Amino acid sequence: MLPALSYTTLEEFEDDYVAALIEEAAELAQEHTWWNQPFQLAADERNPNLLSGSTKLMHRYLTKVDGQTSKIDYRDDVLMGAVDTLTLLEMLTLLSKEHEFTWQVFIPSDPRPKPVGRIREGEIEPRLFELIMPEVDALEITEAELEDQELHQKLRNKYGL
């Protein structure tokens, strides 16, 4: 499972449009309770007329206030990371369709991010789903589990998230 995804627009926008899209993304992000990090956008550091963001999807371990580290069950982490990945892709697709632009999606890595797919004007490349589905299938995570909001909240509660 992916620890994180990064995303950048391929089209450039005027400053006021960048600000409006950042605000719209923040509003969208509030519609979901995130497992690790919420979806967020910012003006790209190298080119402020592009939008970019990065979202951590899995925890692996949690560090408590007292400094103790505890491990998260791998299946729980994959399930919740997959839920967030699907939600993130849905939000990127919505913005892409509504505003008619393209996202390049990356896996963050050194020395440079690895491009893994695009979302063009609301059309998502199927290979983006291939980033998570093999592991979801291997762990026998069902579609019902991916959609079960009550289960998701139980898992958040289990780990104090």
Side-chain angles (χ1 to χ4, degrees):
M1 182 66 193
L2 303 170
L5 278 179
S6 297
Y7 29 90
T8 301
T9 59
L10 295 183
E11 292 82 4
E12 294 185 2
F13 305 102
E14 297 294 322
D15 293 347
D16 60 337
Y17 206 66
V18 167
L21 286 169
I22 290 170
E23 185 177 321
E24 185 175 348
E27 290 171 8
L28 278 174
Q30 290 178 2
E31 296 175 8
H32 179 71
T33 304
W34 298 89
W35 175 243
N36 193 336
Q37 285 185 330
F39 168 49
Q40 58 186 1
L41 293 177
D44 189 77
E45 291 177 6
R46 293 175 303 244
N47 181 346
N49 296 105
L50 296 174
L51 287 164
S52 65
S54 187
T55 302
K56 288 184 182 176
L57 301 165
M58 295 182 62
H59 284 282
R60 307 245 194 251
Y61 296 91
L62 290 175
T63 303
K64 297 179 183 175
V65 179
D66 64 4
Q68 281 190 309
T69 302
S70 61
K71 186 173 183 189
I72 291 182
D73 178 77
Y74 187 68
R75 188 177 191 282
D76 293 346
D77 213 11
V78 170
L79 168 61
M80 296 303 290
V83 168
D84 280 4
T85 300
L86 293 170
T87 301
L88 174 64
L89 293 175
E90 180 182 333
M91 290 179 178
L92 292 171
T93 301
L94 177 73
L95 289 171
S96 171
K97 181 177 183 176
E98 183 178 327
H99 299 282
E100 300 177 345
F101 65 85
T102 302
W103 292 104
Q104 177 64 60
V105 181
F106 302 90
I107 296 173
S109 62
D110 285 327
R112 61 182 58 89
K114 176 186 173 192
V116 291
R118 292 185 177 179
I119 301 171
R120 289 184 187 93
E121 297 184 14
E123 296 293 322
I124 187 168
E125 290 182 350
R127 66 183 173 161
L128 287 171
F129 295 108
E130 295 168 11
L131 297 170
I132 61 168
M133 294 316 294
E135 200 150 6
V136 166
D137 290 341
L139 292 170
E140 298 179 353
I141 295 171
T142 66
E143 189 173 331
E145 288 175 299
L146 289 170
E147 296 172 1
D148 188 341
Q149 298 296 318
E150 189 174 309
L151 171 62
H152 304 163
Q153 190 56 51
K154 284 180 184 176
L155 291 174
R156 285 185 205 96
N157 293 342
K158 177 180 175 180
Y159 297 104
L161 300 172

